[in-house]
Amino acid sequence: MPKARSRVSACPHLPPTSCGTIFLLLGTLTWTTVTLWVSRGWTMGTRDSTSQVQSRDFDPIAQHRVRLQALDTQTLDCGAPNKLRCTRGSVEASKIHRGCLENSAEPRAMRIAVIGAGVIGLSTALCIHDRFHALVPQLQLEVYADRFTPHTTSDGAAGLWQPYLSDHGNLQETLWNKETFEHLLGYLNLPEAKEMGLFLISGYNLFKQPVPDPSWKNIVLGFRNLTPKELELFPGYSYGWFNTALMLECRSYLPWLTNRLAQRGVKFFHRKVESFEEMFSQGIDVVINCTGIRAGELQPDPALQPARGQVIKVLAPWVKHFIITHDMESGIYSSPYIIPGSELTVLGGIYQQGNWNEENSAQDHKSIWERCCRLLPTLQKAEIVQEWSGLRPARPSVRLERESIGHGRLRTEVIHNYGHGGFGITIHWGCAMATARLLGNVLQEKQSQSRL
Amino acid sequence: MAAPRVAVVGAGLIGLSTALRIAEVNPSCCSITLLSEQFSPNTTSDVAAGMLIPHTYPGTPIHVQKQWFKETFTYLFAISNSDEASEAGIHLVSGWQIFKNPSEAEVPFWSDIVLGFRPMSAAELQKFPQHSHGQAFTTLKCDCPPYLLWLEKRLKANGVQIHTRKVTDLWELHREYDIVVNCVGIGARQLVGDQQLFPIRGQVLKVHAPWVKNFIRDGDGLTYIYPGIDSVTLGGTREKESWCLSPDPGTTKDIFDRCCSLEPSLQRAQDIRVKVGLRPSRSCVRLQREVLSQGGAKLLVVHNYGHGSGGFSVHRGTAEEAAHLVGECIAVLQGSSSKAKL
């Protein structure tokens, strides 16, 4: 049995150049296969986002091992304990070694860190895991946050699926809203909808003058204008809509997402991430930035501003409809709204741009209470249970894009997914899928980089 | 003559609402006493979900039923819009009535009285794969006991006396009262021997499932999910001529399964309580006057019973008509007393 005398050639019975070519060819074959998998996984994802990516029998690494064995792989052993760090021999040899071993030895982990554990962070993590865990077996998903449920911004929201009145021509966001609604509808007829905090709810949007139909009129169910008799219920409002939409209560949804992630071996880290560099220096390959209102602490973004909200949560189980009023002059969510949850009814109507104060304000309390009781007199008998303030991460549009940080060999990727304002729950799954698609591109590129 | 003495027998929905209407219409010209063996929460009305979805009486002209429903709906609509709504247990609820058989999905006579009545869209029907058609609308629900307790409170505020008493024969009241209003529901079979009245037994479940915000009713009337203030009513059964008031466990399971097939999340419902009620069914509501006499003594009777499964939907309308009949009785009494003076 010929021994490996030379560290230049991994295959002593072949000249180094031919050996290198063989490995290059084999490497290319593997890379091509994985690329096809990743892109087909993406297509499968958009066609049917609710199903998990199917795991396949085809395993390129095992197949490659078989081919190497056919070339008498005993001669590949350079004796170095950690093949990847083998620095013996020429540069050429170490390149060959690395190229060979990345396909034959245990693959190095691909560490993806999601920063943020609100609805955006957790759903993005789950979507990524769904899409890639079978395709990329070395995927290691980690979630970092300093606040977890029930202390996130998402937890304070009532949870009603409803976009803003106008999409301002942002068709991308309208599509993401639609994808989210349809994804959630798929769970509605399963018993676990209850664990998710998901249920159907009907209700009213009220205006003081006629308005154009919203971009989401065909996404929700049974959208129609209000009849004169219905408007009698709401003196002061002369026009309105009725439709059936969904509620997704994050007090239940976030724990549900967390359980699903934990079951799949995703690791959680309770700590504040101070910088992207901190992540990369710990060996994270890709960062998914779902930090919501505090994204500016990781990277300044003047477009991201708080839109402070305050809500009163009351016990009013006789209220079965949401009622959202609109004042076209003062803007979204600055007019009273009443949203019944599974246990408490949320009263709100505060939208203060630029206000970072997370403390409850007595003045806002009074304003919400008086305006909501005027809207629905029966609320006067409701018992007040809780008060909460939060900062909507408002931005002219959602920041959903890749960014390369650093350069050369230290070039690493951040994918941003923040700035969902007061419609995070409404849009979350569409954004999660779009983020996963961007990650797919990143993973493809990393695979091709590793061949160089 | 002294103010006529009126006794209303029965403290379910019909008795209470009729007594209230009599008090409102005849404020000072008679004294009113309510007599009943049972009170809320032990009446038939307490078992019902209290949904304003009319039952069609074959023996009553449609325009009359429509008038009764309209008066009831208008009355409750005003309460639901006031600050008394939560105490009275009256609230709006939206939902769907679904059909497997397209021929059943006709537009009902009450479609323009409920709010926003329209056919369901294809997208809405996707939630119910076994059903091909449906109707969406918003209506009112009267939760009991709250509504009955609220009516009792209104009665006391109107000076109506309320006594617990079992009446075995209407005539036994002839000495103490001049006019008796018979609102005993299914009890009329025994009390006045009305053979046209028969029970339709209904078993229901009341469960804790506060995430269910919409009603769902199968057009066949057998399976329904009605979300109330503190519980969701799941139904049900329609067993003719069954007098059995004990819950049947096999029926409980059957109701639960049927409702879960329409709303799977109900599998997570908690705190399941089973109730049985006997709908006082008749081809038409008996709304008429009668004079009972023995020897020289007379007792004027106004009957208001036999509302079957439609009591809540028409109660205010039939109370209005009964109060009108009581007014006629009072006129008769005053007429005969003035004749006596001549």
Side-chain angles (χ1 to χ4, degrees):
Chain A
M1 190 64 114
K3 280 196 207 155
R5 281 194 205 114
S6 160
R7 287 164 200 131
V8 173
S9 171
C11 312
H13 54 285
L14 286 173
T17 343
S18 322
C19 208
T21 314
I22 291 169
F23 286 127
L24 202 59
L25 285 170
L26 289 167
T28 311
L29 173 69
T30 315
W31 170 77
T32 314
T33 316
V34 173
T35 309
L36 282 170
W37 278 9
V38 168
S39 57
R40 269 161 76 198
W42 168 41
T43 317
M44 277 174 67
T46 44
R47 206 190 306 136
D48 178 5
S49 57
T50 56
S51 68
Q52 291 197 20
V53 172
Q54 301 299 315
S55 61
R56 294 172 181 270
D57 298 325
F58 184 31
D59 178 350
I61 292 160
Q63 292 246 345
H64 189 71
R65 263 199 205 102
V66 166
R67 287 196 195 93
L68 287 173
Q69 276 159 11
L71 294 169
D72 190 358
T73 56
Q74 282 195 319
T75 57
L76 294 177
D77 192 346
C78 71
N82 186 336
K83 307 290 185 214
L84 281 174
R85 285 184 166 62
C86 169
T87 53
R88 292 183 231 172
S90 71
V91 169
E92 202 182 277
S94 64
K95 266 194 201 161
I96 291 164
H97 230 177
R98 197 176 303 125
C100 166
L101 288 164
E102 274 186 339
N103 295 317
S104 65
E106 254 143 57
R108 196 175 73 78
M110 173 65 70
R111 293 177 63 198
I112 317 283
V114 173
I115 313 180
V119 66
I120 300 300
L122 295 184
S123 61
T124 304
L126 188 64
C127 187
I128 287 171
H129 193 273
D130 271 353
R131 197 168 292 203
F132 296 114
H133 79 277
L135 289 182
V136 187
Q138 67 272 34
L139 190 84
Q140 198 172 299
L141 196 49
E142 300 163 28
V143 174
Y144 292 78
D146 61 356
R147 294 196 202 175
F148 286 86
T149 181
H151 305 295
T152 71
T153 308
S154 311
D155 287 290
L160 178 66
W161 186 100
Q162 186 169 299
Y164 290 179
L165 296 185
S166 167
D167 61 12
H168 300 295
N170 197 328
L171 299 176
Q172 181 69 271
E173 288 182 7
T174 301
L175 181 62
W176 289 336
N177 291 333
K178 181 174 177 357
E179 289 172 342
T180 304
F181 195 86
E182 286 169 6
H183 170 77
L184 293 173
L185 270 189
Y187 282 93
L188 198 60
N189 269 3
L190 302 176
E192 71 183 308
K194 195 256 174 185
E195 277 88 71
M196 290 170 74
L198 177 69
F199 52 93
L200 281 172
I201 186 168
S202 304
Y204 306 92
N205 277 277
L206 304 172
F207 304 88
K208 296 187 173 173
Q209 74 269 9
V211 294
D213 289 346
S215 63
W216 40 270
K217 67 179 272 204
N218 293 321
I219 302 175
V220 295
L221 303 175
F223 182 94
R224 62 173 174 82
N225 285 347
L226 291 181
T227 62
K229 194 130 150 260
E230 287 172 308
L231 285 166
E232 277 176 38
L233 287 165
F234 311 111
Y237 295 94
S238 58
Y239 189 84
W241 307 324
F242 182 94
N243 63 264
T244 301
L246 291 166
M247 282 283 283
L248 185 63
E249 295 182 313
C250 282
R251 294 288 181 118
S252 299
Y253 188 48
L254 298 195
W256 184 83
L257 288 169
T258 306
N259 289 342
R260 301 273 290 226
L261 289 167
Q263 275 166 24
R264 292 150 183 237
V266 173
K267 302 270 184 299
F268 289 83
F269 297 91
H270 193 147
R271 70 166 214 254
K272 186 173 161 78
V273 172
E274 304 288 354
S275 67
F276 296 131
E277 287 65 35
E278 176 194 324
M279 296 273 92
F280 297 129
S281 70
Q282 288 168 25
I284 298 291
D285 295 288
V286 185
V287 167
I288 318 286
N289 177 19
C290 304
T291 49
I293 187 56
R294 289 179 290 145
E297 292 175 24
L298 287 174
Q299 187 187 86
D301 180 356
L304 178 70
Q305 290 292 317
R308 182 181 172 278
Q310 184 165 322
V311 293
I312 307 173
K313 301 196 183 184
V314 306
L315 202 54
W318 58 89
V319 179
K320 303 291 181 194
H321 297 93
F322 61 81
I323 305 171
I324 311 202
T325 66
H326 300 271
D327 181 338
M328 305 311 277
E329 272 143 36
S330 51
I332 192 82
Y333 298 134
S334 54
S335 192
Y337 62 79
I338 298 166
I339 302 175
S342 61
E343 282 165 19
L344 298 176
T345 297
V346 177
L347 312 182
I350 300 287
Y351 191 96
Q352 295 157 347
Q353 305 210 45
N355 187 348
W356 283 94
N357 194 348
E358 286 184 81
E359 300 288 310
N360 293 321
S361 140
Q363 189 180 352
D364 289 339
H365 169 97
K366 188 161 178 286
S367 163
I368 297 166
W369 183 255
E370 283 173 5
R371 289 179 300 149
C372 285
C373 286
R374 212 174 309 142
L375 183 58
L376 198 63
T378 176
L379 282 177
Q380 287 165 64
K381 303 279 169 70
E383 181 198 329
I384 296 176
V385 174
Q386 249 175 57
E387 193 115 8
W388 180 89
S389 300
L391 309 177
R392 300 175 185 89
R395 206 173 180 275
S397 63
V398 175
R399 187 177 185 199
L400 182 31
E401 61 187 6
R402 284 172 59 174
E403 185 181 3
S404 290
I405 309 260
H407 27 257
R409 281 199 178 272
L410 298 173
R411 222 184 73 169
T412 39
E413 296 290 323
V414 175
I415 304 177
H416 299 285
N417 183 10
Y418 68 84
H420 305 82
F423 52 89
I425 289 164
T426 299
I427 204 173
H428 79 276
W429 193 254
C431 289
M433 293 202 290
T435 306
R437 282 195 288 277
L438 289 180
L439 179 61
N441 296 341
V442 171
L443 292 176
Q444 275 181 45
E445 288 164 23
K446 281 195 179 286
Q447 285 285 353
S448 65
Q449 272 168 25
S450 71
R451 294 287 87 73
L452 297 171
Chain B
M1 62 165 275
R5 301 156 299 169
V6 179
V8 177
V9 186
L13 174 69
I14 301 303
L16 295 175
S17 59
T18 302
L20 183 61
R21 195 66 193 127
I22 296 168
E24 288 170 355
V25 164
N26 307 289
S28 49
C29 65
C30 57
S31 73
I32 307 168
T33 308
L34 187 91
L35 305 171
S36 182
E37 184 189 6
Q38 301 287 1
F39 288 83
S40 178
N42 298 317
T43 69
T44 306
S45 312
D46 290 288
V47 180
M51 288 291 287
L52 257 68
I53 297 178
H55 162 80
T56 303
Y57 301 102
T60 305
I62 292 291
H63 77 270
V64 172
Q65 298 184 51
K66 189 163 175 173
Q67 180 60 23
W68 287 343
F69 182 53
K70 190 166 177 189
E71 282 171 17
T72 307
F73 196 92
T74 304
Y75 173 67
L76 295 174
F77 187 71
I79 299 174
S80 79
N81 211 12
S82 76
D83 58 6
E84 295 205 59
S86 56
E87 194 196 334
I90 309 291
H91 58 97
L92 284 173
V93 60
S94 298
W96 308 282
Q97 181 163 240
I98 52 183
F99 303 90
K100 288 181 174 160
N101 194 344
S103 66
E104 292 169 343
E106 304 164 339
V107 176
F109 72 81
W110 42 267
S111 67
D112 57 343
I113 298 171
V114 296
L115 305 175
F117 185 97
R118 60 172 171 82
M120 281 167 77
S121 64
E124 287 174 301
L125 280 164
Q126 282 188 15
K127 183 172 156 60
F128 308 108
Q130 314 217 335
H131 294 75
S132 58
H133 290 72
Q135 299 156 343
F137 56 94
T138 301
T139 187
L140 291 158
K141 186 178 189 293
C142 308
D143 275 39
C144 291
Y147 185 50
L148 301 184
L149 295 175
W150 181 81
L151 286 171
E152 279 182 41
K153 197 168 151 192
R154 294 288 300 269
L155 285 176
K156 287 174 188 162
N158 274 279
V160 174
Q161 300 275 309
I162 301 181
H163 298 307
T164 305
R165 174 171 167 176
K166 183 177 164 75
V167 175
T168 48
D169 181 349
L170 286 182
W171 187 250
E172 78 188 52
L173 301 172
H174 80 276
R175 259 186 256 282
E176 300 156 77
Y177 301 98
D178 305 301
I179 302 167
V180 169
V181 188
N182 172 18
C183 302
V184 299
I186 194 62
R189 178 79 170 240
Q190 183 137 40
L191 185 64
V192 298
D194 185 347
Q195 296 298 312
Q196 290 176 53
L197 181 72
F198 59 96
I200 296 185
R201 180 184 184 277
Q203 183 164 320
V204 295
L205 314 182
K206 306 236 175 185
V207 309
H208 180 74
W211 60 87
V212 177
K213 305 288 185 193
N214 289 292
F215 72 81
I216 304 170
R217 180 183 199 268
D218 192 311
D220 68 10
L222 280 176
T223 307
Y224 49 83
I225 297 163
Y226 294 140
I229 294 176
D230 293 316
S231 65
V232 182
T233 302
L234 309 185
T237 65
R238 289 181 194 274
E239 300 153 275
K240 275 188 175 177
E241 297 287 3
S242 167
W243 290 89
C244 176
L245 279 169
S246 317
D248 174 69
T251 303
T252 296
K253 182 176 187 317
D254 178 56
I255 293 170
F256 191 73
D257 288 343
R258 282 188 276 125
C259 288
C260 285
S261 76
L262 294 183
E263 179 52 75
S265 69
L266 283 172
Q267 287 179 44
R268 302 291 196 255
Q270 301 270 299
D271 196 30
I272 297 173
R273 286 160 292 137
V274 190
K275 297 214 165 179
V276 178
L278 307 178
R279 300 176 184 83
S281 309
R282 211 170 176 274
S283 67
C284 64
V285 177
R286 189 179 181 197
L287 249 183
Q288 63 187 185
R289 284 166 51 195
E290 191 185 358
V291 179
L292 302 180
S293 53
Q294 267 186 42
K298 266 193 329 185
L299 181 62
L300 300 183
V301 177
V302 172
H303 296 287
N304 186 12
Y305 67 85
H307 298 72
S309 55
F312 280 88
S313 299
V314 298
H315 74 275
R316 183 75 174 175
T318 57
E320 179 71 43
E321 207 165 304
H324 180 74
L325 292 175
V326 168
E328 287 181 3
C329 292
I330 294 174
V332 162
L333 287 174
Q334 286 168 342
S336 52
S337 80
S338 58
K339 273 189 201 139
K341 282 175 189 151
L342 293 172

